[in-house]
Amino acid sequence: MNTGSNMRIGPFEVFYPIEESAPRLRHNVEGIDGSGKSTQLSLLHKWLESKGYGVVFSQWNSSELVKDTTKLGKKKKMLTPATFSLIHATDFADRIERSILPLLKAGAVVLCDRYIYTAFARDVARGMDRQWVRDLYGFAAKPAVAFYFRVPLETAIGRLVTGRDGFKFYEAGLDIGLSDDPTESFRLFQGRIVDEYEKMIPEFGLTVVDATLPVEVQQAQVRQIVRTHLERAKELRVRP
Amino acid sequence: MNTGSNMRIGPFEVFYPIEESAPRLRHNVEGIDGSGKSTQLSLLHKWLESKGYGVVFSQWNSSELVKDTTKLGKKKKMLTPATFSLIHATDFADRIERSILPLLKAGAVVLCDRYIYTAFARDVARGMDRQWVRDLYGFAAKPAVAFYFRVPLETAIGRLVTGRDGFKFYEAGLDIGLSDDPTESFRLFQGRIVDEYEKMIPEFGLTVVDATLPVEVQQAQVRQIVRTHLERAKELRVRP
């Protein structure tokens, strides 16, 4: 269906339920970056449901509180790197406090298509200070596992360029003047983003998946890792 | 006219023009906190204009980008301490980048009724981490002078309670459950805010004005300090 969207560069994360005995978020975040991410997430979602888990999917820009502002700011090109960063952080804080955390407390597995790592990569690519952005999201719960779907930049861009009818202003980083040509700007901007993701692999222990492998091979890896985490979480929960 | 507003607890700051030769903000911020603040700011405004300065006045919550969101969030009581903090930071970033900085570059003196210190005091009083809030506003230009108008808490509250027909939900800190009684909640919340301001006096070198003194005595002090800063700025500018 949405062939473009499954090639976006960005992570996804999996949150596991907060333990009832110890109401802290389990550190099983998974984050992805690379092509095929949304497809993998969708397959994981179905698999977890088939296993009887309560699964919830959370997206960026979905908060009732700020979505109109974000839309307006993008449409009118009013956002600077700082306000772009801050409005997305506001959106994220709203979702995490009013949706993700209550769902986790209720026992759901929460799947996030893009999480704080998206903001870290994107905002830094836009010129914001690396530490400032990390501090900004200091309130965010750490996910259990964060998958990073790695593809060679040119492969990802090649797919994106052919699969899409042009790029949006902020998506292509046209706001920071890397190039007047949207495709070239997109290429340069995504290059910066990928550089940031690569730096985050060791910093945050992102789980790397080779996104050039066949879809089913990637999914098998993802499920194996998620299964291990879920079993470990279950063991911890049943312990006296 | 607006007799209540001149007793709000909060700072105001004065920005002096950025030097043309060195386009960095001069550190002459002034911040105020305490009763009579808006009156003092208004008197200063008129005096600076009479001296031939281009003076601009900047307020909180005035950014086109987010004002509807802030209104909605407050009206529907949707804001948590984190989103309250972030949406105000977004507003502030928008104003500083799209209004204050261009005005300073154009040579104006910018007067701010409340600045980052308001956010620091208010957000921390609401439970946000002290360092997190300071980092959040790391992008903000430091003002030349920041006046803090100090009044005994009970004096300020006494004036506020009698001058006002009730308190707003967030203004009274009713969102954090200090008390169900709005007046008592306001008292407790403002107490926390004043504690934060007191800590900030040495931390940020706020210029303290005794706000129990007659209005004209306070204003004479304010003008004297502003005059000194403006003369110093002028000397620096004419230096070869």
Side-chain angles (χ1 to χ4, degrees):
Chain A
M1 317 278 205
N2 188 357
T3 52
S5 72
N6 68 351
M7 291 175 201
R8 282 180 307 176
I9 293 170
F12 79 72
E13 276 91 303
V14 180
F15 286 90
Y16 295 153
I18 293 169
E19 288 178 73
E20 284 149 55
S21 54
R24 296 185 311 121
L25 192 63
R26 291 197 54 72
H27 294 269
N28 334 5
V29 181
E30 320 192 15
I32 305 177
D33 167 316
S35 82
K37 150 182 95 63
S38 298
T39 301
Q40 293 296 330
L41 191 58
S42 169
L43 291 169
L44 179 66
H45 192 164
K46 279 174 198 153
W47 178 73
L48 284 166
E49 278 184 334
S50 78
K51 295 280 175 193
Y53 287 99
V55 189
V56 184
F57 181 67
S58 180
Q59 275 187 309
W60 279 105
N61 301 341
S62 54
S63 139
E64 276 303 308
L65 180 64
V66 303
K67 70 179 183 188
D68 291 343
T69 293
T70 311
K71 256 188 213 165
L72 174 80
K74 286 183 176 173
K75 194 179 162 195
K76 296 208 173 173
K77 302 179 183 171
M78 287 165 80
L79 300 172
T80 63
T83 54
F84 186 99
S85 179
L86 287 164
I87 200 74
H88 284 89
T90 308
D91 178 87
F92 178 81
D94 190 46
R95 285 189 298 116
I96 204 159
E97 294 188 312
R98 303 203 310 139
S99 163
I100 296 175
L101 287 179
L103 287 165
L104 286 168
K105 281 180 188 159
V109 174
V110 180
L111 305 180
C112 295
D113 191 343
R114 300 169 172 275
Y115 194 61
I116 54 175
Y117 311 112
T118 291
F120 295 171
R122 197 167 58 176
D123 294 355
V124 172
R126 200 162 249 125
M128 298 307 290
D129 179 76
R130 203 169 275 118
Q131 191 55 48
W132 182 81
V133 182
R134 281 153 178 68
D135 291 339
L136 174 60
Y137 283 89
F139 60 84
K142 279 211 170 180
V145 191
F147 287 103
Y148 173 77
F149 283 62
R150 185 194 264 152
V151 276
L153 179 61
E154 285 309 317
T155 309
I157 288 175
R159 290 175 187 175
L160 279 159
V161 170
T162 54
R164 299 286 293 279
D165 183 22
F167 297 104
K168 290 178 193 161
F169 186 72
Y170 286 98
E171 176 187 42
L174 283 164
D175 56 314
I176 53 168
L178 297 172
S179 168
D180 288 340
D181 175 56
T183 303
E184 181 57 18
S185 178
F186 180 82
R187 189 182 303 272
L188 294 167
F189 188 55
Q190 293 301 318
R192 287 186 177 195
I193 286 175
V194 167
D195 288 348
E196 288 305 314
Y197 275 124
E198 290 292 331
K199 282 177 198 148
M200 284 191 273
I201 295 169
E203 184 181 354
F204 297 106
L206 306 184
T207 300
V208 181
V209 176
D210 180 351
T212 63
L213 294 173
V215 168
E216 56 279 13
V217 176
Q218 292 180 52
Q219 182 65 201
Q221 290 179 3
V222 167
R223 287 182 188 178
Q224 181 52 46
I225 290 160
V226 170
R227 189 185 290 121
T228 307
H229 277 278
L230 285 171
E231 279 165 6
R232 207 179 296 157
K234 208 182 278 176
E235 268 172 35
L236 284 168
R237 246 197 302 282
V238 294
R239 235 179 250 173
Chain B
M1 317 274 206
N2 187 357
T3 52
S5 72
N6 69 353
M7 290 174 202
R8 282 180 308 174
I9 293 171
F12 79 71
E13 276 92 302
V14 181
F15 286 90
Y16 294 153
I18 293 170
E19 287 179 73
E20 284 147 56
S21 53
R24 295 185 312 120
L25 191 64
R26 292 198 53 73
H27 294 268
N28 333 7
V29 180
E30 318 192 18
I32 307 176
D33 166 316
S35 83
K37 148 185 98 60
S38 297
T39 302
Q40 293 296 328
L41 190 57
S42 168
L43 291 169
L44 179 65
H45 193 164
K46 280 174 197 152
W47 178 72
L48 284 166
E49 278 185 335
S50 78
K51 295 281 174 191
Y53 287 99
V55 189
V56 183
F57 181 67
S58 179
Q59 273 187 310
W60 280 102
N61 301 341
S62 53
S63 141
E64 276 303 308
L65 181 64
V66 303
K67 70 178 181 188
D68 291 343
T69 293
T70 310
K71 256 188 212 166
L72 174 80
K74 286 184 177 173
K75 195 179 163 197
K76 296 209 173 173
K77 301 179 184 171
M78 289 167 78
L79 300 172
T80 64
T83 54
F84 185 99
S85 179
L86 287 164
I87 200 73
H88 284 89
T90 309
D91 178 89
F92 178 82
D94 190 48
R95 286 189 298 116
I96 204 160
E97 294 188 312
R98 303 201 310 138
S99 162
I100 296 175
L101 287 179
L103 286 165
L104 286 168
K105 281 180 188 159
V109 174
V110 180
L111 305 180
C112 296
D113 191 342
R114 299 169 173 276
Y115 193 61
I116 54 174
Y117 311 112
T118 291
F120 295 172
R122 199 166 57 175
D123 294 354
V124 172
R126 201 161 248 123
M128 298 307 291
D129 179 77
R130 203 169 275 118
Q131 191 55 48
W132 181 81
V133 181
R134 281 153 177 68
D135 291 339
L136 173 61
Y137 284 89
F139 60 85
K142 280 212 168 180
V145 190
F147 288 104
Y148 172 77
F149 284 60
R150 184 194 265 152
V151 276
L153 179 61
E154 285 308 315
T155 309
I157 288 176
R159 289 176 189 174
L160 279 158
V161 171
T162 55
R164 298 285 293 280
D165 183 22
F167 298 105
K168 290 177 194 161
F169 187 73
Y170 286 98
E171 176 187 43
L174 283 164
D175 57 314
I176 53 168
L178 297 172
S179 167
D180 289 339
D181 175 57
T183 304
E184 182 55 19
S185 178
F186 180 82
R187 187 184 305 271
L188 293 167
F189 189 55
Q190 292 301 319
R192 287 186 178 195
I193 286 175
V194 167
D195 288 347
E196 288 305 313
Y197 276 124
E198 289 293 331
K199 283 178 197 146
M200 284 191 274
I201 295 168
E203 184 181 353
F204 296 105
L206 305 184
T207 301
V208 181
V209 176
D210 180 349
T212 62
L213 294 172
V215 168
E216 56 279 12
V217 176
Q218 292 179 53
Q219 183 64 203
Q221 290 178 2
V222 168
R223 288 182 187 177
Q224 181 52 46
I225 290 160
V226 170
R227 187 185 291 119
T228 307
H229 278 277
L230 285 170
E231 278 166 6
R232 209 179 296 157
K234 206 181 280 173
E235 269 173 35
L236 284 169
R237 246 197 305 281
V238 295
R239 236 178 250 171

